Every structure is written in C-alpha cells, then in structure tokens.
Amino acid sequence: MVTDTSPLVVDSEIITSSLDDPEKFAALFDRYAATLYRYISFRLGPELAEDLVGETFLIAFRRRDAYDISYRDARPWLLGIATKLITGHRRTEVSRYRALERQSPAQPVEGPEEAITRDLTAQGSRTVLLNALALLSRGDRDVLLLVAWSDMTYEEAARALGIPVGTVKSRLNRARRKVRHTLGGVNPLEEHDHG
C-alpha cells in the first residue's frame, strides 16, 4: 500500500483518517520513523532504537483516537511518547554517555545532533559534554535534548512532555547553566529563541 506522506496532508488529518482506515496511520511512520530513530539512538544507542521506535508507533496507534487534532503536527506527540519510553532506560542512557565519554570520537548517528557533536569533537569538548549530559536530571536532559537538539519550540516540548511551558523554560535554563558550567563557561548549545 502506498501511503500519502505529502507535506500537504497534515498529521492531524492522517490520524483522523486512520480511525476509519487504520492503514493510513503508516504515513506517520513514513514521515517520522527516521527522526525518532535518530533521537532514540543518540540517547540509548542503536541497539534499543529500532525496538523503541516500533513501540512508540504502537502506543501512538493505540492512542490515536485521543489525539488532540487541534495540533496539526504530531512530531511533539511522538517524541513525547519516545521520551517517556526512554525514561524506562535511564540507566542505559547514562551508561551510554559514560561509555562514549571514554571512547575516542566516533561517527555520530546522523541527525540534528550530528553537527553539534562534530563541532564538540573538533573543539575537544565532546567528553565533557557527554559527562554534563549524564549528570543532568532526567527532566532537564529531556527538555534540553528536545529543544536544543530536536529543534522543538518551548510549546512543542511542553506538549511532548505534558508539562507547562514555564517548566520547560526553567528546566532548559537550568540545564544550559549546568552544561555551561561543566564546559568551563562555554556553551555549545547556544541559546536560541524557540518560544
């Protein structure tokens, strides 16, 4: 079956039409599977990413009737589900950052974080950043990675995590401050206005 992944068909329309024709939900998979894979791979490694991408879409499919169709873009919803699944693997995530910290710079998973990781490697700050990420609380790390590396607005991150926008801003501010401190005052995750 060919699914319509045309950008002209908004996600909320795909979800609505999938209620009568479940196969149409596959268009969201076609549209966002690679994004979710990169996000999960960065946080937990490729070993778990494929399974968690599948689990994310299974959960989304089962909950599609509760999706708020006033939100045309399902990316924050899907990344929110993925982030909650990652929470169950917090030890794996922190261990991954620690292991990467000990390795020589490797090729990063292709994605939005690639340029940041490459720049950090060139600056020699990669190890310190991985340590800083491992030291952040789960909530602060979730917000930082969604906003700074998944290029979400504050509102999208709030929706993805089910928290108020003010909480996103305060967690992001705290995470940036901690990362900046760990990096000796240099912040590679420059503060962009996502709000």
Side-chain angles (χ1 to χ4, degrees):
M1 171 180 179
V2 176
T3 56
D4 187 354
T5 58
S6 162
L8 299 177
V9 179
V10 296
D11 298 342
S12 57
E13 292 172 3
I14 292 169
I15 293 169
T16 300
S17 66
S18 77
L19 296 173
D20 292 327
D21 184 359
E23 290 184 17
K24 290 189 176 185
F25 195 80
L28 287 183
F29 182 87
D30 295 343
R31 200 173 272 182
Y32 296 115
T35 298
L36 289 171
Y37 182 84
R38 286 188 301 268
Y39 177 68
I40 296 168
S41 284
F42 179 75
R43 295 195 62 179
L44 298 177
E47 307 81 27
L48 292 171
E50 194 169 316
D51 289 341
L52 289 183
V53 168
E55 195 173 339
T56 298
F57 280 103
L58 182 60
I59 291 168
F61 180 78
R62 289 179 179 157
R63 296 180 183 167
R64 72 191 190 285
D65 61 329
Y67 183 78
D68 182 348
I69 61 169
S70 68
Y71 296 108
R72 298 167 52 106
D73 180 6
R75 187 176 63 106
W77 178 58
L78 293 169
L79 282 166
I81 293 169
T83 299
K84 287 178 179 106
L85 290 173
I86 289 167
T87 298
H89 297 275
R90 185 183 187 290
R91 281 193 205 123
T92 302
E93 180 180 23
V94 171
S95 295
R96 176 171 167 73
Y97 294 145
R98 298 274 186 233
L100 288 171
E101 189 180 345
R102 291 186 297 272
Q103 293 177 356
S104 62
Q107 289 296 330
V109 175
E110 296 289 322
E113 66 281 352
E114 178 185 17
I116 294 171
T117 303
R118 187 174 46 243
D119 290 347
L120 288 172
T121 301
Q123 297 170 14
S125 301
R126 178 178 179 270
T127 301
V128 181
L129 176 65
L130 292 168
N131 181 52
L133 288 173
L135 294 174
L136 291 176
S137 72
R138 178 187 54 83
D140 291 355
R141 185 171 44 247
D142 289 346
V143 168
L144 179 69
L145 294 174
L146 285 172
V147 173
W149 289 3
S150 292
D151 202 31
M152 285 190 160
T153 65
Y154 297 147
E155 291 77 14
E156 289 171 332
R159 186 163 44 105
L161 297 173
I163 58 176
V165 172
T167 303
V168 168
K169 290 178 180 180
S170 64
R171 286 181 182 177
L172 186 60
N173 184 35
R174 183 173 44 246
R176 285 178 169 152
R177 189 174 56 248
K178 287 179 180 179
V179 168
R180 188 179 306 116
H181 176 76
T182 303
L183 294 177
V186 175
N187 186 4
L189 308 172
E190 288 301 323
E191 299 179 18
H192 302 290
D193 186 6
H194 288 275

